Amino acid sequence: MIEFRKITWENFDECIHLQLTDEQKGFLASNVYSLAQSYVALLNDERPAMTFAIYDDETMIGFIMMYNDTAEENEYGDEAAYGILRFMIDRKYQNKGFGTKALQKALEYIRSFPQGEASAVYLSYAPQNEAARRLYATFGFKEIGMDEEADEMVAKLIL
Ligand SMILES: CC(C)(COP(=O)(O)OP(=O)(O)OC[C@H]1O[C@@H](n2cnc3c(N)ncnc32)[C@H](O)[C@@H]1OP(=O)(O)O)[C@@H](O)C(=O)NCCC(=O)NCCS
């Protein structure tokens, strides 16, 4: 069963050692960088980043980082929204359906509005990231255009 667990003193080391394939390394920041950003968010932002290790039963298989923006903070639209900033499944566990199950879980979590109501979810991915494009499209994400600064395609799901 897929479960999101918080990052603790017991599991953070394992989390930062989760691996992508060489081809995927350029697609997203490392888990170390993401956890460093969560720390900065914790000290400076009103709402902490929602950062979790993804487990299949007792095995850690991936990592996810989500956030909540008010309508004013949202850089892609004009509504209160959630975002999935990082999402990865360790290379050993890819292509087995875990990414699909974990994204399902993430959207259930977001729909529980843990940091307040919102009407959309945003995320972005490298244009050549076919696996991500396909996975997100399955869940109804629609591409809304390039974020030229990040050189990533932005996609939106209306809740
Ligand atoms: C994207 C990612 C999370 C998918 O995880 P996963 O566990 O492999 O996903 P699933 O096994 O549920 O497969 C989901 C879909 O992706 C496709 N897929 C998986 N790996 C793929 C690959 N290397 N190339 C092309 N398609 C791939 C599967 O075929 C499946 O599509 P289908 O349902 O049409 O067959 C994983 O590949 C990953 O961690 N990638 C690197 C990080 C990343 O790009 N994150 C997203 C952007 S932030």
Side-chain angles (χ1 to χ4, degrees):
M1 196 183 69
I2 297 290
E3 213 175 53
F4 289 175
R5 295 194 194 161
K6 71 175 181 182
I7 310 291
T8 66
W9 289 114
E10 278 69 42
N11 69 9
F12 87 94
D13 202 45
E14 192 178 359
C15 180
I16 63 184
H17 286 103
L18 292 171
Q19 298 285 331
L20 294 175
T21 64
D22 286 341
E23 188 200 17
Q24 292 167 343
K25 278 182 186 151
F27 288 165
L28 79 172
S30 68
N31 292 350
V32 159
Y33 186 85
S34 295
L35 288 178
Q37 279 183 314
S38 316
Y39 172 78
V40 178
L42 197 60
L43 293 189
N44 294 280
D45 296 350
E46 269 178 45
R47 297 173 307 288
M50 293 161 272
T51 308
F52 297 104
I54 303 169
Y55 283 78
D56 175 45
D57 294 327
E58 292 308 310
T59 308
M60 189 190 293
I61 58 163
F63 172 76
I64 188 163
M65 180 171 173
M66 296 167 279
Y67 62 91
N68 174 249
D69 271 347
T70 61
E72 294 71 38
E73 288 164 340
N74 185 355
E75 57 178 314
Y76 299 129
D78 53 12
E79 71 279 78
Y82 285 82
I84 300 175
L85 185 60
R86 308 278 150 61
F87 176 46
M88 60 83 70
I89 299 292
D90 182 277
R91 64 184 177 196
K92 285 201 296 290
Y93 303 109
Q94 290 181 13
N95 243 321
K96 302 179 193 296
F98 289 131
T100 306
K101 287 186 189 153
L103 186 57
Q104 173 84 43
K105 187 111 213 151
L107 293 174
E108 276 168 26
Y109 180 72
I110 287 172
R111 287 191 168 102
S112 76
F113 298 139
Q115 294 187 349
E117 282 200 27
S119 51
V121 184
Y122 289 88
L123 48 78
S124 68
Y125 42 83
Q128 66 273 31
N129 191 346
E130 257 320 304
R133 180 198 308 276
R134 220 175 314 155
L135 177 59
Y136 294 135
T138 311
F139 283 85
F141 280 87
K142 302 269 183 275
E143 297 190 334
I144 60 167
M146 285 294 289
D147 176 338
E148 298 297 343
E149 205 177 310
D151 197 23
E152 291 203 334
M153 177 56 73
V154 180
K156 172 183 183 177
L157 176 72
I158 296 173
L159 289 174

